[in-house]
Amino acid sequence: AKKQGRNRYFWFEAGMEHQLRLRNELEAGIRRGLSNGEFVPYYEQQIDLHTGEIAGFEMLARWISSDLGIINPDIFIPVAEEMGLIGDLSDQLIEQALSDASHWDPTITVSVNISPIQLRDPWFAQKMLKFLVKHNFPAQRLEIEITETCLHENLGLVRSMITSLRNQGIRISLDDFGTGYSSLSQLQSLPFDRLKIDRSFVGDLARGGGESGSKIIDAIISLGDGLSIPITAEGIEDEETLEMLKKMGPLKGQGYHYGLPETSEQVKERLTKLGR
Ligand code: C2E
Ligand code: CA
Ligand code: CA
Ligand code: CA
């Protein structure tokens, strides 16, 4: 039994070593990628479900790594956060997004995701203002998406950051709504400009779980009504879900039904075809 235990210990160690090496390579890759401009914005359409028209685009980070190919943010964002590089990474992406979006029709908004860590940077709001001025971009066209995890600690700090961003005219959306632990009183005391219903609820609609899924969405829509906060439904994957949502209220929506996230060039082509 002892021998077996030692063996197991050995394999555990070997696994750890392997993981550490992968992690080190990932970190080195992120550093290199950052200085080589390998992090680029992709864009997902945000549709006004009532008119069917493009209202905006959500910027989603991609890492175009020469070694590894296209890497999604779930892999590199948490690591960049731990490395203390999320601010630099995000700054690059946001500036690129503002520069891209300044070529779009001026009615089209751009949404960016930020990490809780960034909200705790006392200079964050000022930095955003600086970027807006530099790219001659109206604050009203920029939306910042934060997740409920931002609300877990230091609510006072978060509130003052949100307030100073909104005072500049930037809009703040609460992302992945319904999956976190934000209490309704927090929602009332923090000024949000939009709630984004998490795609897990939207996905349930057409998956037969329709009954309970639509009840939750109905509840979020009437909450939004009561607080006068507009709503976006995320993760619309098919026509059936879209039709159900259209009947439920005046929503914006996004999801793979409208296509996968696209590069800036693809967005420009799409908008040119639409005359926007
Ligand atoms: P999110 O903000 O909730 O973004 C939506 C994610 O769902 C995106 O994944 C998008 O590609 C995916 N998605 C969109 N429509 C559908 C659909 O119909 N079905 C399904 N199954 N998925 C859909 P992505 O691009 O991998 O991003 C994952 C998360 O990474 C984002 O979740 C966001 O929280 C975070 N993220 C992305 N870009 C950034 C960034 O620049 N900074 C920070 N801090 N986080 C970012
Ligand atoms: Ca988002
Ligand atoms: Ca989301
Ligand atoms: Ca998410």
Side-chain angles (χ1 to χ4, degrees):
K2 229 179 207 164
K3 196 179 163 207
Q4 200 187 7
R6 239 193 335 263
N7 268 343
R8 220 181 274 142
Y9 182 70
F10 171 80
W11 287 117
F12 179 66
E13 281 284 276
M16 290 267 288
E17 216 171 88
H18 180 63
Q19 290 205 336
L20 264 177
R21 201 173 59 237
L22 285 180
R23 170 70 183 218
N24 285 337
E25 280 168 16
L26 188 58
E27 291 192 2
I30 290 175
R31 272 212 187 80
R32 230 180 304 126
L34 207 50
S35 48
N36 295 345
E38 293 177 1
F39 293 95
V40 300
Y42 273 49
Y43 297 97
E44 177 171 326
Q45 300 173 59
Q46 299 177 313
I47 307 290
D48 179 332
L49 296 190
H50 197 65
T51 62
E53 286 185 349
I54 294 174
F57 288 90
E58 176 175 0
M59 188 268 278
L60 296 162
R62 294 290 181 268
W63 179 14
I64 317 294
S65 154
S66 43
D67 313 330
L68 306 165
I70 302 184
I71 303 172
N72 280 7
D74 289 333
I75 304 288
F76 61 81
I77 295 283
V79 181
E81 284 176 353
E82 284 176 36
M83 293 170 72
L85 291 178
I86 189 64
D88 293 341
L89 178 55
S90 189
D91 288 352
Q92 273 193 11
L93 288 161
I94 291 174
E95 281 216 65
Q96 191 57 53
L98 294 180
S99 151
D100 290 342
S102 62
H103 299 288
W104 306 340
D105 184 282
T107 58
I108 298 176
T109 59
V110 63
S111 303
V112 301
N113 296 280
I114 63 157
S115 298
I117 296 169
Q118 293 172 273
L119 271 192
R120 278 181 248 133
D121 168 6
W123 301 105
F124 182 72
Q126 239 159 300
K127 201 163 61 181
M128 289 303 114
L129 186 59
K130 197 183 80 187
F131 291 161
L132 290 171
V133 170
K134 179 173 165 193
H135 295 275
N136 192 21
F137 198 84
Q140 289 69 19
R141 285 182 65 193
L142 176 62
E143 277 182 24
I144 290 181
E145 301 193 357
I146 69 176
T147 56
E148 291 185 44
T149 39
C150 291
L151 312 179
H152 290 175
E153 42 186 300
N154 218 332
L155 200 60
L157 202 72
V158 171
R159 182 185 288 117
S160 67
M161 184 56 71
I162 290 179
T163 305
S164 52
L165 290 165
R166 292 184 82 234
N167 285 344
Q168 295 174 11
I170 296 169
R171 281 192 275 263
I172 310 291
S173 303
L174 186 53
D175 205 356
D176 300 347
F177 185 69
T179 58
Y181 299 93
S182 77
S183 70
L184 296 179
S185 66
Q186 278 173 352
L187 197 56
Q188 194 188 30
S189 71
L190 284 170
F192 286 106
D193 299 289
R194 176 169 296 279
L195 301 179
K196 298 189 71 179
I197 305 178
D198 190 72
R199 68 171 136 88
S200 55
F201 303 115
V202 177
D204 279 347
L205 273 183
R207 248 183 255 130
E211 184 84 354
S212 65
S214 70
K215 272 182 187 147
I216 288 175
I217 293 175
D218 269 334
I220 297 177
I221 290 173
S222 53
L223 182 68
D225 267 350
L227 298 172
S228 304
I229 307 177
I231 310 263
T232 295
E234 300 190 293
I236 303 174
E237 291 185 349
D238 49 50
E239 189 67 37
E240 190 188 349
T241 306
L242 172 62
E243 289 310 319
M244 289 173 86
L245 285 167
K246 271 171 109 174
K247 282 182 210 130
M248 298 174 82
L251 300 170
K252 282 188 192 170
Q254 50 185 104
Y256 293 166
H257 177 60
Y258 297 101
L260 294 174
E262 297 175 329
T263 64
S264 147
E265 288 71 30
Q266 289 169 318
V267 167
K268 246 167 67 193
E269 249 173 69
R270 177 183 292 283
L271 291 175
T272 305
K273 274 189 206 138
L274 293 169
R276 303 177 73 188

